[in-house]
Amino acid sequence: MIVGQRKPIQEIIGMLKGIKKILILGCSGCVSVCSAGGEKEVEILALILRIDRKKKGEPVETMEKTLARQCDTEYLEELKGEAGNYDAILSMACGVGVNYLADMYPTTLVFPALNTSFMGVSEEQGVWSERCAGCGDCVLDRTGGLCPIARCSKRLFNGPCGGSQNGKCEIDPNVACVWQLIYDRLKGLNQLEKLKEIFPIKDWSSSLHGGPRKIVREDLKL
Amino acid sequence: MNDVNQPDIVAFCCHYTAYACSQDLQNLPQLGFPENVRLEILPCSGRISITRLLKAFEQGADGIYVAGCKDDTCHNVRGSQIAKKRVDYVKDVFDQLNIEPERIEMYMISREPNRGFIEVAEEMTMRIKKLGSSPLKGK
Ligand code: SF4
Ligand code: SF4
C-alpha cells in the first residue's frame, strides 16, 4: 500500500492562514489502513485546527468527509456542486489524491495534509517499511523477490557494495543490506547461480526518467 | 471568563479505578473529591479516544486527565497503557500548538481501596489553578 504520515501541525496551520471554511477530506484507501488519513484522522485534524484557531481568536469552520478513494474519478465526483462551498480542501489522501482533486476542481484551493512516504508493508501495528519504488520494469525474478531499488541505499543492481558489513547496510547498522538478504535467500533456494549473471545497465525510461507514466487498457475501456 | 479558582477539569476514569475509591460514586463529595472535576466513567481507560480528549478541551475544559489502573494491574491487561499513549499524543499536539502539555495528564492508580483517586483530582486542580484558565477562553 501507499504509506503516508501527517505533516507537522505547524506546517498545515501555515498553509491554511486566512482560510475560514475548509473541507478536510479523508480517503478510505491505503492512508486509512496506515492510520494517516482515514475518517478517524480527519476528525482529529479538524479538532486540532479548530483548537488552534479558537486559541488565536480566528475561528475556522471545518467540514469533514471521507471518500472511498480519492484516486478514482467516480468517488471524487461526489464533490461536484460542493467543492465551491469551501475556501479550500485539505486532503488527507496520498499525493495522488491531492493531484486528482486539483485536476478535477480547477477553481478550488487544495492542500496536502500528508507526506506521501513510500509503497510498503505493515510489519506490525505502528510499523511500516518500504518494499517497492514503482520502477515500472520489475526485476524481482532475478533477485529472489527482494527489491534492490527500494531496499538498497545505493540502488545497486550488482551488489553488495563494499560497505555491507555483518548483513547490515553501511548507512545504518539497523538497516539490513538487501544484497545480503538476496544472497542468503538465493542460497536457501539453491539459486546462487543467478548472481553470476551481471545485470545490464537499467533502462530507467519506464521509471520517472521517461516522463509521467500512463497505462491505457483498451480491453477495459468503455 | 471562568474562575481560575474553580478550574473546569474533565476526568475520564476507568470504572474499576473509580469504584476502588468509593463503592458509591455519590459519596465522592463527602470524601473530599473536588467539585470542579467532572467525572466521566469509562468501562476501561483504554476506551478513551484522542478525539474525545481533544473535544473536551475544545468545549472549554481547562484541564483533562485520564485515571486508569496501574499498568501491571489493568483488568483489561493493556487498557491503561493504551490510554497513556493517547494522552501522550494529545500532550504532543498541545506542545505543537503552544498550549501547556501539563493541561492533560494520565494517572495510573492502584485498584486497592485508597484515596489515590481523590488525590489526583486535587493535584490536577492545584496544577490548573497555577496554569490559569484555558487559552481557548481568551485573555
Ligand atoms: S488516493 Fe492514495 S491513499 Fe487513497 S486509495 Fe488512492 S492511492 Fe491509496
Ligand atoms: S524492481 Fe521495480 S517494480 Fe520491482 S519491486 Fe523494485 S521498484 Fe518495484
Side-chain angles (χ1 to χ4, degrees), chain A residues 10-54:
Chain A
Q10 285 301 334
E11 189 181 338
I12 299 174
I13 288 173
M15 293 175 198
L16 301 177
K17 232 171 229 157
I19 302 284
K20 294 200 172 76
K21 190 174 180 189
I22 185 160
L23 172 65
I24 303 178
L25 191 64
C27 173
S28 295
C30 319
V31 292
S32 182
V33 181
C34 68
S35 299
E39 204 173 338
K40 197 165 90 184
E41 292 75 31
V42 165
E43 201 182 358
I44 291 172
L45 184 56
L47 274 157
I48 293 174
L49 295 175
R50 289 202 302 270
I51 287 174
D52 176 65
R53 288 296 195 87
K54 205 167 170 186

Side-chain angles (χ1 to χ4, degrees), chain A residues 16 22 35 42 108 140 205 208 215:
Chain A
L16 301 177
I22 185 160
S35 299
V42 165
T108 304
L140 296 192
S205 61
L208 281 177
I215 295 172

Side-chain angles (χ1 to χ4, degrees), chain B residues 20-34:
Chain B
C21 174
S22 157
Q23 297 308 307
D24 174 4
L25 294 180
Q26 307 305 321
N27 284 341
L28 281 173
Q30 283 93 300
L31 294 171
F33 192 85

Side-chain angles (χ1 to χ4, degrees), chain A residues 9 13 16 27 33 47 50 55 62-63 78 91 101 120 129 131 143 153 158-159 162-163 172 177 180 205 208 219:
Chain A
I9 293 171
I13 288 173
L16 301 177
C27 173
V33 181
L47 274 157
R50 289 202 302 270
K55 176 170 169 266
T62 57
M63 244 58 71
E78 288 175 30
S91 168
L101 262 172
S129 56
R131 288 295 185 277
T143 58
S153 309
N158 296 289
D172 182 338
C177 166
Q180 180 72 51
S205 61
L208 281 177
D219 58 324

Side-chain angles (χ1 to χ4, degrees), chain A residues 131-135 138-140 147 149:
Chain A
R131 288 295 185 277
C132 168
C135 76
C138 195
V139 301
L140 296 192
C147 178
I149 303 174

Side-chain angles (χ1 to χ4, degrees), chain A residues 5-209:
Chain A
Q5 203 174 15
R6 195 191 62 215
K7 282 177 172 290
I9 293 171
Q10 285 301 334
E11 189 181 338
I12 299 174
I13 288 173
M15 293 175 198
L16 301 177
K17 232 171 229 157
I19 302 284
K20 294 200 172 76
K21 190 174 180 189
I22 185 160
L23 172 65
I24 303 178
L25 191 64
C27 173
S28 295
C30 319
V31 292
S32 182
V33 181
C34 68
S35 299
E39 204 173 338
K40 197 165 90 184
E41 292 75 31
V42 165
E43 201 182 358
I44 291 172
L45 184 56
L47 274 157
I48 293 174
L49 295 175
R50 289 202 302 270
I51 287 174
D52 176 65
R53 288 296 195 87
K54 205 167 170 186
K55 176 170 169 266
K56 293 173 175 157
E58 300 162 6
V60 63
E61 202 181 328
T62 57
M63 244 58 71
E64 299 162 32
K65 197 172 209 150
T66 299
L67 300 179
R69 286 195 295 277
Q70 285 186 35
C71 52
D72 237 310
T73 312
E74 82 177 277
Y75 299 114
L76 265 199
E77 268 174 355
E78 288 175 30
L79 298 180
K80 260 191 190 153
E82 179 187 349
N85 298 344
Y86 311 105
D87 294 340
I89 299 179
L90 177 63
S91 168
M92 294 197 81
C94 68
V96 177
V98 185
N99 267 272
Y100 211 28
L101 262 172
D103 286 339
M104 284 185 62
Y105 297 98
T107 56
T108 304
L109 276 178
V110 172
F111 297 109
L114 303 192
N115 286 326
T116 306
S117 308
F118 50 76
M119 281 187 270
V121 296
S122 179
E123 289 184 21
E124 59 180 277
Q125 189 159 323
V127 180
W128 297 270
S129 56
E130 187 166 17
R131 288 295 185 277
C132 168
C135 76
D137 185 12
C138 195
V139 301
L140 296 192
D141 56 311
R142 300 170 66 178
T143 58
L146 306 174
C147 178
I149 303 174
R151 300 174 72 180
C152 166
S153 309
K154 296 176 184 164
R155 302 188 164 194
L156 293 182
F157 282 88
N158 296 289
C161 72
S164 175
Q165 277 186 27
N166 305 318
K168 302 297 177 194
C169 174
E170 71 174 335
I171 62 146
D172 182 338
N174 296 313
V175 172
C177 166
V178 79
W179 275 103
Q180 180 72 51
L181 297 179
I182 292 169
Y183 178 88
D184 293 344
R185 188 164 152 75
L186 290 180
K187 191 174 178 192
L189 292 169
N190 261 331
Q191 293 189 354
L192 272 183
E193 284 299 306
K194 280 197 170 169
L195 290 183
K196 289 192 177 146
E197 219 180 295
I198 302 295
F199 262 96
I201 291 170
K202 185 168 166 71
D203 174 1
W204 288 98
S205 61
S206 60
S207 186
L208 281 177
H209 297 52

